[in-house]
Amino acid sequence: MTAELDRIAPVIDSLGEAFARAGHELALVGGPVRDAMLGRPHNDLDFTTSARPEETEKILRTWGEALWDMGRDFGTIGTRKGPWQVEVTTYRSEAYSADSRKPTVAYGTSLADDLVRRDFTVNAMAVRLPGREVVDLYGGVVDLATRVLRTPSTPEESFSDDPLRMMRAARFAAQLGFEVAPEVVAAMKDMAGRIEIISAERVRDELVKLICAPYPRRGLTLLVETGLAELVLPELTALRMERDEHNRHKDVYEHTLTVLEQSIDQEERLGGGPDFVSRFAALMHDVGKPRTRKFHDDGTVSFHHHDVVGAKMTRKRMKALRFSNDEIDAVSKLVELHLRFHGYGDGDWTDSAVRRYVRDAGDQLTRLHVLTRADCTTRNKRKADRLARTYDNLEARIERISEEEELAALRPALDGNQIMSLLGISPGREVGAAYKFLMELRLDEGVLSEDEAAKRLLAWWDERTER
Ligand code: ATP
Ligand code: MG
């Protein structure tokens, strides 16, 4: 705690003095206090103050480097000072009305009032400035030491003021690896339905943080067990299909969590940090299974087209959660392609099939490698090793063909202008059809010279116009 406070001392002490000179209280609060006690460095510094936003703005204007007031309506003014992002919020006492999506903001009058409306005791500690007096009115230090999430007021009061806090409980469990207190879990179960008044965007933001956390399994398990997942991500809950009487197919839910963890283990390949698209694709890859499951007379079970069905379901869910089109396209493409490799057998694909795999994966190719490898959760070591070796083989072939053909920029030998002048036609559907023909040729046969491509195109055109 002291080591981290010493590190941020230059900034917190000088800001504390600036507010004191103007006759206002100031305290470091929330995340940075919690993380200082955990010995984790934090460059986003949140403060709370008795000053009103106009007064805060005046002080920050001379003290800070660049000012922003995006959160002014909520009483927050932000600034930067060197590497530090600073946000100062006026004391609040806010509450939601039972049916409203927006918090009603009321300014509070004391630090104690401000702290009691915070989500968890470990987030409800403050350090008064200057002077660094620690304020811990709700047992946050003890909860931090015993690694438990508890609400400052009763969980029922807290969640009815802001139901998003139920999602935040799961998010912090996933980020910190803490337990959620039993009475808090009980309130989450009772009140899960209240999450429906929260906007999709706020739910999405918590879900993204949860999934990108170090222990997503912990957070997801809580969402499923409390019934919150049923409302915000029902596809996940549905994976807990009852098994058939002979236990013949694996528990898809448990399999999914393992695939998620196995894809996290490969994130080095994707740049190192948490990769939301890759993680969410792992979570959604089998969501088409419950809906496509069929039991057959010979005792087997099948999930025909669960990749395509799952991709559609993924798209729909991500749209409802207001994800960007780029994220939706990326994740649903991965879900749709996650099975393709299983047609590869022992390396039976033609070069044409390999080119198509690369073309269809497009800019998601590396994530597809990660997902496909992660999707093997068999306990049979020989089988797992064989699959890994086969995928090594596919990746090696992709690399070889890429070196020869610049697969990354796959396009036909002739462009639209060349097609039009060769065939003597103007822009329209025919040009598109010709382009498609040449692209298929490119995929099937690899690089062709322009002369050869022109010859083949003319032959195709003759046959087409004869009909
Ligand atoms: P992070 O490292 O993700 O920024 P954080 O603890 O700073 O973690 P924020 O979402 O930035 O989390 O919120 C800052 C602080 O504001 C929290 O620590 C908490 O005290 C308070 N807070 C934020 N959202 C809520 C909420 N919905 N209800 C109650 N308190 C909240
Ligand atoms: Mg924060």
Side-chain angles (χ1 to χ4, degrees):
M1 166 83 172
T2 35
E4 176 59 11
L5 283 186
D6 285 343
R7 189 183 74 93
I8 59 180
V11 61
I12 62 175
D13 289 348
S14 94
L15 189 61
E17 277 151 23
F19 274 77
R21 271 198 302 276
H24 300 296
E25 296 179 8
L26 183 78
L28 185 70
V29 73
V33 176
R34 178 196 70 218
D35 289 348
M37 291 189 178
L38 290 170
R40 298 183 188 177
H42 205 112
N43 283 352
D44 292 352
L45 302 179
D46 298 332
F47 298 87
T48 183
T49 182
S50 58
R52 291 300 162 96
E54 316 78 69
E55 298 161 322
T56 297
E57 183 174 346
K58 226 183 287 167
I59 297 168
L60 293 186
R61 212 172 266 293
T62 47
W63 180 87
E65 284 163 15
L67 207 71
W68 66 88
D69 67 349
M70 274 162 44
R72 178 186 287 274
D73 291 348
F74 297 96
T76 304
I77 310 285
T79 189
R80 204 167 26 78
K81 181 111 165 168
W84 285 289
Q85 296 264 101
V86 167
E87 286 192 3
V88 181
T89 305
T90 303
Y91 288 158
R92 281 193 302 206
S93 53
E94 81 194 26
Y96 280 70
S97 49
D99 54 351
S100 159
R101 285 163 181 267
K102 290 225 170 75
T104 40
V105 179
Y107 294 131
T109 51
S110 72
L111 179 59
D113 283 355
D114 182 89
L115 293 178
V116 73
R117 63 146 204 103
R118 289 182 181 262
D119 49 6
F120 303 104
T121 60
V122 296
N123 289 339
M125 293 183 281
V127 178
R128 284 190 190 272
L129 298 166
R132 305 203 202 160
E133 175 206 344
V134 174
V135 181
D136 176 21
L137 302 175
Y138 307 102
V141 172
V142 174
D143 290 342
L144 208 55
T146 52
R147 303 168 61 82
V148 56
L149 292 166
R150 211 185 291 284
T151 50
S153 55
T154 69
E156 287 77 13
E157 278 175 89
S158 176
F159 296 159
S160 92
D161 277 352
D162 180 1
L164 186 71
R165 291 172 189 162
M166 297 187 283
M167 294 287 301
R168 289 174 64 87
R171 187 257 276 200
F172 283 110
Q175 282 184 333
L176 302 171
F178 285 15
E179 290 297 326
V180 179
E183 72 277 11
V184 176
V185 175
M188 288 165 76
K189 283 183 184 160
D190 283 350
M191 301 175 68
R194 291 288 306 275
I195 198 68
E196 312 235 77
I197 69 164
I198 301 296
S199 73
E201 289 83 354
R202 294 183 75 207
V203 169
R204 174 201 62 204
D205 289 348
E206 289 301 328
L207 199 59
V208 170
K209 286 181 181 169
L210 184 162
I211 288 168
C212 291
Y215 315 100
R217 176 191 284 263
R218 199 177 267 257
L220 293 166
T221 306
L222 262 164
L223 292 184
V224 169
E225 286 175 357
T226 55
L228 279 161
E230 182 77 47
L231 301 163
V232 303
L233 195 60
E235 295 78 9
L236 186 62
T237 307
L239 292 177
R240 292 202 302 185
M241 293 180 285
E242 67 298 354
R243 307 172 196 201
D244 64 304
E245 65 274 27
H246 303 295
N247 248 339
R248 268 175 314 217
H249 63 275
K250 282 177 281 180
D251 182 341
V252 185
Y253 174 70
E254 190 49 42
H255 161 75
T256 294
L257 293 178
T258 306
V259 173
L260 171 61
E261 290 175 333
Q262 294 188 158
S263 53
I264 293 172
D265 291 342
Q266 299 175 68
E267 269 172 354
E268 204 61 34
R269 288 193 75 173
L270 303 172
D275 187 285
F276 174 74
V277 167
S278 170
R279 291 186 182 200
F280 201 54
L283 202 56
M284 301 299 278
H285 80 283
D286 271 347
V287 296
K289 275 194 168 176
R291 228 178 253 184
T292 55
R293 181 169 62 165
K294 283 217 165 59
F295 294 108
H296 303 279
D297 292 341
D298 62 0
T300 57
V301 60
S302 69
F303 306 92
H304 273 308
H305 301 305
H306 78 264
D307 43 353
V308 181
V309 171
K312 280 205 182 111
M313 291 167 66
T314 299
R315 197 167 269 288
K316 201 168 155 205
R317 176 56 46 202
M318 291 184 81
K319 242 183 145 129
L321 287 168
R322 307 270 195 282
F323 279 98
S324 71
N325 287 334
D326 285 351
E327 288 169 302
I328 297 176
D329 289 345
V331 177
S332 49
K333 178 183 277 187
L334 288 164
V335 173
E336 184 168 346
L337 292 178
H338 85 271
L339 278 185
R340 176 83 72 90
F341 166 71
H342 295 281
Y344 190 68
D346 295 321
D348 312 332
W349 280 359
T350 58
D351 282 357
S352 166
V354 175
R355 286 188 200 101
R356 280 165 205 277
Y357 190 69
V358 173
R359 192 257 327 247
D360 292 345
D363 52 3
Q364 300 306 316
L365 184 62
T366 311
R367 288 195 181 108
L368 183 58
H369 293 334
V370 166
L371 176 60
T372 309
R373 288 177 181 276
D375 192 15
C376 170
T377 59
T378 173
R379 288 205 187 84
N380 181 333
K381 175 122 175 39
R382 273 183 48 212
K383 198 170 157 194
D385 286 348
R386 198 179 62 234
L387 269 167
R389 272 200 311 275
T390 313
Y391 207 89
D392 290 343
N393 170 287
L394 173 59
E395 282 199 51
R397 277 183 73 189
I398 290 174
E399 203 160 308
R400 180 177 56 71
I401 300 177
S402 299
E403 272 165 19
E404 290 165 12
E405 306 180 10
E406 288 187 62
L407 270 192
L410 247 166
R411 64 178 101 73
L414 305 172
D415 65 19
N417 287 328
Q418 290 171 303
I419 292 171
M420 289 188 286
S421 76
L422 254 173
L423 303 182
I425 57 176
S426 29
R429 284 234 310 276
E430 296 291 12
V431 182
Y435 190 89
K436 200 168 158 210
F437 165 75
L438 289 170
M439 186 68 184
E440 292 294 310
L441 208 59
R442 169 71 182 80
L443 289 165
D444 285 339
E445 300 183 21
V447 183
L448 295 183
S449 70
E450 281 190 22
D451 283 351
E452 175 66 14
K455 217 161 75 193
R456 301 283 289 272
L457 177 66
L458 286 168
W460 169 83
W461 182 246
D462 281 348
E463 201 175 304
R464 187 178 170 89
T465 42
E466 264 164 33
R467 264 186 282 140

